[in-house]
Amino acid sequence: MGEFWEVFQRHLPEFRSGFYITCRLVAMSFVIAMGVGTIIAAFRVAPARALQRIGTVYVEFFRNIPLLVLIFIFFFGFPEVFNIGPWVAGTLALGLYTSAYIAETLRSGVFAVGKGQIDASLSLGFTYRQTLQKVVLPQSFRTVIPPLGNLIIAMIKNSAILGASALAIPDLLKTGRITAALTANAHASFFWAALGYLILTVTATFIVRHLEKRLAIRR
Amino acid sequence: MMDYLFAPDRWEWLFSGNSFRFLLDGLIVNIELALIAMALSLTIGLLLALARIAKNPVIKGPAGIWIDVWRNLPLIFILLYLALSLPASWKQAYQDAAPTWLPEAFQNGRILAAVVGLTLYNSAVIAEIMRAGIQSLERGQGEAAAALGLPYWKSMRLIILPQGLRRMVPATVSQLITLNKDTTLISILSIQEVMRHGRILGSCLPFTCGVEVPLLQVFLVVGTMFAILNYGLSRLSKRLEIKQRQTTGIEVEKVTGLEDQVALDTDTK
């Protein structure tokens, strides 16, 4: 146990910076995923058939191919056209990968509000804008938050792939590997890195569970 | 840009020599690994799920912690840790014991870390999926079985498990999609599978291969292979989920923190 503690004390700054980098990767990718996901969700519910089709193909492609393949495509694929750095390639890959799931979540959130409710509020004399504001969006929001939280948990875990692949971003996992090589103590350094990941994912799980209960719509 | 993607000379490699065959050979390793890991995860996952719903707190507590730790760690983290910390003697022992009819990639000792890692992570996930399926049964089922005088294990085997496990089939198929994608991670452990084969193809120079092999096109092909395979699986799991809901009228709770479980949930709504 003493060795574990020693590794922690000596390499705390590295672990801390790895922890922040993992958080930053997740945050940046989430922004990309939300932006693109919203656009694709709009495509999926658009009245034009062609747009719907584009949305469907996008979603099915990005969510069914491995994240590692996406990373390779962005990082190695365009050396002559635009040479993008590991951060851009990594967050773009993780962001676009997750955007497909986000698009589906948002789309199902819109459809979660029954058409009957919209008809009812319109016939009660609400304007279209009021209907959206007071009836549709509050309910969509409540149905969408728990699955979005789930996707963030998945992103935290997937972000480790960025650090492990050829991108060599010094995130929590990479820090664990470097420390393992420096101290020749794989168990201790991976233990502390694992603790970092567990802090993130377990906290997020608790928040999602809590929100799921609080936001549940009783029908 | 369009030219960069679609210019015919950038695609020529696909139809020359054995390139496509070479990628396909790699993909087969991934599929085999996914199936082996799935078979192991289903067996171990069932045991873990039973331990987690046990009445005895000495079994229940540790099983819960075990499951929550493994499914909340990144898979690649588990794989790299095992690759580093599994004793070399185990790998050697595996290599000596591996029968020669196994595919080449499976005879190497490195595959041990891959199989163990994939199983550790996925058995924890499967255990949670199974637990959700079992707990979605009305309590009356178990109580009725007890009232009929069936002992715990008999009511489990005859009443609870057959119904509970049927409900988790769609979610398991969804998890197989994730597992399929995750097998590419073992390329980081330098096991010869589809990603490695892609890199080998891409490093091929025009004067040895006769054609230019751009990495972009290689990985687009690899990605498309996975997309087709997993699209089929996602359609299957969606159909099973809808059918399951029609027969039981119950929506089984999805396991948190997994993207393809979220997808299954939103797909069928």
Side-chain angles (χ1 to χ4, degrees):
Chain A
M1 210 59 217
E3 283 171 47
F4 273 57
W5 192 238
E6 209 182 293
V7 169
F8 179 74
Q9 277 179 325
R10 188 168 305 163
H11 295 280
L12 181 62
E14 287 99 312
F15 279 118
R16 197 188 290 141
S17 106
F19 187 81
Y20 285 144
I21 286 179
T22 290
C23 294
R24 215 158 79 203
L25 278 175
V26 174
M28 283 168 70
S29 314
F30 186 70
V31 171
I32 297 173
M34 259 330 250
V36 179
T38 312
I39 296 168
I40 298 299
F43 273 35
R44 293 270 279 157
V45 296
R49 260 286 157 78
L51 286 183
Q52 280 181 23
R53 186 107 1 120
I54 293 173
T56 314
V57 170
Y58 179 93
V59 166
E60 294 299 347
F61 186 74
F62 276 94
R63 98 178 176 199
N64 285 323
I65 87 171
L67 177 57
L68 198 59
V69 173
L70 275 182
I71 293 173
F72 277 28
I73 288 176
F74 285 120
F75 195 58
F76 297 120
F78 303 93
E80 291 123 61
V81 184
F82 37 79
N83 206 348
I84 51 180
W87 270 84
V88 181
T91 48
L92 211 55
L94 183 54
L96 293 185
Y97 176 78
T98 316
S99 73
Y101 295 99
I102 290 200
E104 282 301 274
T105 307
L106 296 181
R107 185 186 63 95
S108 79
V110 171
F111 286 131
V113 183
K115 206 169 176 325
Q117 288 194 36
I118 298 172
D119 289 342
S121 74
L122 285 175
S123 67
L124 278 172
F126 281 119
T127 62
Y128 186 69
R129 208 196 144 124
Q130 282 172 323
T131 310
L132 263 187
Q133 235 171 40
K134 304 220 151 93
V135 180
V136 179
L137 287 183
Q139 295 189 66
S140 304
F141 184 71
R142 290 170 73 165
T143 37
V144 155
I145 291 297
L148 283 187
N150 266 320
L151 290 177
I152 292 180
I153 300 173
M155 276 180 112
I156 296 169
K157 291 193 279 179
N158 283 333
S159 76
I161 298 174
L162 305 185
S165 66
L167 302 182
I169 295 172
D171 71 342
L172 199 46
L173 174 55
K174 187 83 185 167
T175 310
R177 289 173 81 190
I178 294 172
T179 322
L182 282 178
T183 58
N185 190 341
H187 301 294
S189 27
F190 272 82
F191 174 81
W192 295 114
L195 201 66
Y197 279 112
L198 287 178
I199 288 173
L200 287 174
T201 47
V202 173
T203 317
T205 308
F206 272 116
I207 295 173
V208 170
R209 289 246 175 89
H210 177 72
L211 286 176
E212 236 165 17
K213 267 184 210 130
R214 267 201 55 183
L215 299 177
I217 300 170
R218 282 168 204 90
R219 292 208 173 89
Chain B
M1 181 71 195
M2 275 305 166
D3 202 43
Y4 194 68
L5 269 174
F6 298 117
D9 59 318
R10 293 183 68 89
W11 284 97
E12 216 183 305
W13 61 273
L14 188 55
F15 309 103
S16 75
N18 281 331
S19 317
F20 186 69
R21 188 56 210 277
F22 186 57
L23 285 181
L24 215 54
D25 281 345
L27 186 69
I28 287 171
V29 173
N30 290 65
I31 296 174
E32 283 166 341
L33 182 63
L35 290 177
I36 292 173
M38 195 39 137
L40 289 172
S41 303
L42 282 170
T43 328
I44 298 171
L46 177 62
L47 297 178
L48 285 174
L50 285 175
R52 190 165 202 177
I53 58 169
K55 297 218 171 67
N56 187 344
V58 181
I59 301 173
K60 189 180 175 172
I65 293 172
W66 175 268
I67 291 171
D68 280 340
V69 165
W70 290 113
R71 78 190 177 89
N72 277 314
L73 283 175
L75 174 62
I76 182 65
F77 179 96
I78 300 172
L79 288 174
L80 283 172
Y81 173 65
L82 289 175
L84 211 62
S85 67
L86 277 188
S89 58
W90 291 22
K91 290 180 198 167
Q92 196 55 48
Y94 174 84
Q95 218 153 316
D96 295 339
T100 43
W101 47 261
L102 279 179
E104 212 180 302
F106 287 88
Q107 293 195 23
N108 192 309
R110 276 196 293 257
I111 200 83
L112 195 60
V115 173
V116 174
L118 286 169
T119 307
L120 271 178
Y121 178 79
N122 281 289
S123 59
V125 170
I126 295 280
E128 275 300 276
I129 292 175
M130 286 182 170
R131 187 184 62 89
I134 292 169
Q135 291 189 335
S136 74
L137 279 185
E138 306 76 51
R139 283 187 54 193
Q141 296 271 352
E143 284 164 3
L148 285 171
L150 283 181
Y152 182 79
W153 284 110
K154 217 163 182 187
S155 80
M156 255 312 163
R157 192 161 54 85
L158 298 175
I159 316 261
I160 311 282
L161 287 184
Q163 297 185 74
L165 296 193
R166 201 169 302 148
R167 294 182 182 182
M168 49 131 280
V169 171
T172 308
V173 176
S174 257
Q175 185 56 26
L176 191 55
I177 300 175
T178 315
L179 180 52
N180 255 334
K181 291 188 283 189
D182 284 345
T183 54
T184 56
L185 296 179
I186 65 164
S187 64
I188 296 173
L189 310 185
S190 55
I191 293 166
Q192 295 299 320
E193 43 69 82
V194 72
M195 302 298 281
R196 287 268 156 182
H197 281 199
R199 290 289 283 276
I200 293 172
L201 269 186
S203 62
C204 190
L205 293 168
F207 64 86
T208 47
C209 297
V211 282
E212 191 197 356
V213 191
L215 272 177
L216 173 65
Q217 271 73 5
V218 171
F219 284 109
L220 282 177
V221 171
V222 173
T224 309
M225 286 171 163
F226 275 101
I228 292 169
L229 182 67
N230 287 336
Y231 177 68
L233 282 174
S234 74
R235 288 294 293 265
L236 175 68
S237 95
K238 183 175 171 178
R239 195 166 312 159
L240 289 171
E241 170 84 11
I242 291 169
K243 208 171 137 199
Q244 183 264 118
R245 202 178 303 165
Q246 278 166 353
T247 42
T248 61
I250 283 168
E251 211 171 304
V252 179
E253 146 210 8
K254 298 290 177 303
V255 178
T256 49
L258 303 164
E259 63 259 31
D260 285 299
Q261 302 293 323
V262 175
L264 174 61
D265 206 23
T266 52
D267 256 355
T268 50
K269 270 184 188 150

